[in-house]
Amino acid sequence: MSVESPQCSGRISSNYSLVADSNEIPSVSAMAASDNQNETQSRLYFLNEQLQKMVKELPRKYQQRIPNELLCELAECLLDKTLYSIVKELTDIQHVTEKQMFQKRLEMINKHSVGIQKLLKSDLVEPGKTETRLKLQAEHRKNLREFDKKIVTELDEKRREQQNTLHMAGVPGFDITDDASRIQVQIRLCDFIIRLSQIDKKPDEV
């Protein structure tokens, strides 16, 4: 008499299996997405917290112009770290521009000084020498005032370019304006971004 082997109609399971049923665990992509979402939420909380601290350091007149809603929008915008690079590039360009203008101003002042020294060492007799010196100094002051106005105009144009760049990048609080109080707020926001760029880093980026 033959004995038939029992048929295994179902899957054999064990509580000691090292590999769980694929239907019972999330996929690798799902786990990665969850980790990314958690990381994003953590960064958003961190950015919001740091921005809140920075605002509290400001005089009250500026605190009133930077509402929590603006800070939340800025924190969300900073989730894209590209903004740090944009602000850094704008800052570098501004520093180079200011340095160049300052150097040109020094060159003009030195040129004026050389002109006065040449006059004083000349053979021109008094009172002609004094009259010429006073006239020359008045002309130098006029030239310097005009140059300073030119510097202000160029810096204003650079500032508008910066405002437009940040506005086009979708940074909250930035648009082209000549309003002094709004410009001061924008300066503070840029400072926040620069400071955050120094601390918003992963361990492997430090």
Side-chain angles (χ1 to χ4, degrees):
M1 183 177 69
S2 64
V3 179
E4 296 181 359
S5 300
Q7 298 294 320
C8 296
S9 60
R11 217 174 21 222
I12 298 176
S13 62
S14 169
N15 291 332
Y16 299 99
S17 174
L18 295 178
V19 181
D21 187 340
S22 61
N23 292 324
E24 297 175 355
I25 62 174
S27 65
V28 173
S29 59
M31 293 177 65
S34 178
D35 289 343
N36 288 337
Q37 184 177 10
N38 291 336
E39 181 181 347
T40 298
Q41 289 297 327
S42 296
R43 278 195 64 224
L44 187 59
Y45 177 82
F46 170 78
L47 292 169
N48 265 309
E49 184 180 39
Q50 295 301 315
L51 287 170
Q52 293 285 348
K53 291 179 180 179
M54 292 177 184
V55 167
K56 291 180 181 179
E57 298 171 357
L58 299 177
R60 183 169 296 275
K61 63 179 180 179
Y62 295 124
Q63 292 185 30
Q64 295 173 346
R65 293 180 176 274
I66 306 178
N68 289 335
E69 181 181 358
L70 176 58
L71 295 179
C72 291
E73 292 176 356
L74 181 58
E76 291 181 3
C77 188
L78 287 170
L79 289 175
D80 182 358
K81 292 188 176 182
T82 304
L83 180 56
Y84 292 142
S85 300
I86 294 175
V87 173
K88 183 181 184 303
E89 183 177 354
L90 292 176
T91 302
D92 291 343
I93 292 174
Q94 179 174 327
H95 288 166
V96 171
T97 301
E98 291 176 349
K99 185 176 181 180
Q100 290 175 342
M101 291 181 176
F102 179 72
Q103 185 63 35
K104 289 180 180 180
R105 193 177 193 275
L106 283 180
E107 290 174 358
M108 175 177 285
I109 293 174
N110 289 335
K111 183 178 179 180
H112 291 168
S113 179
V114 170
I116 295 296
Q117 291 300 319
K118 285 184 177 181
L119 173 63
L120 295 177
K121 293 178 181 180
S122 69
D123 296 331
L124 188 63
V125 296
E126 296 293 356
K129 180 178 289 189
T130 298
E131 292 176 354
T132 302
R133 176 178 60 81
L134 293 175
K135 182 179 179 181
L136 196 58
Q137 287 175 332
E139 182 179 347
H140 290 169
R141 287 193 295 270
K142 179 182 177 182
N143 291 341
L144 195 58
R145 284 195 301 269
E146 291 177 351
F147 184 78
D148 287 343
K149 289 180 181 179
K150 181 180 178 181
I151 289 179
V152 171
T153 300
E154 290 188 21
L155 289 178
D156 282 344
E157 184 59 33
K158 285 292 182 182
R159 185 249 308 157
R160 294 188 187 96
E161 291 177 3
Q162 293 172 344
Q163 290 172 331
N164 184 59
T165 298
L166 294 172
H167 174 69
M168 296 299 293
V171 185
F174 286 89
D175 55 1
I176 299 177
T177 179
D178 293 324
D179 183 86
S181 59
R182 293 175 63 189
I183 291 173
Q184 287 300 315
V185 169
Q186 291 177 344
I187 290 174
R188 269 70 187 177
L189 294 178
C190 278
D191 178 63
F192 292 169
I193 295 171
I194 293 172
R195 291 165 62 185
L196 281 172
S197 70
Q198 303 301 315
I199 59 177
D200 182 21
K201 298 180 179 180
K202 294 180 180 179
D204 58 351
E205 295 177 333
V206 178

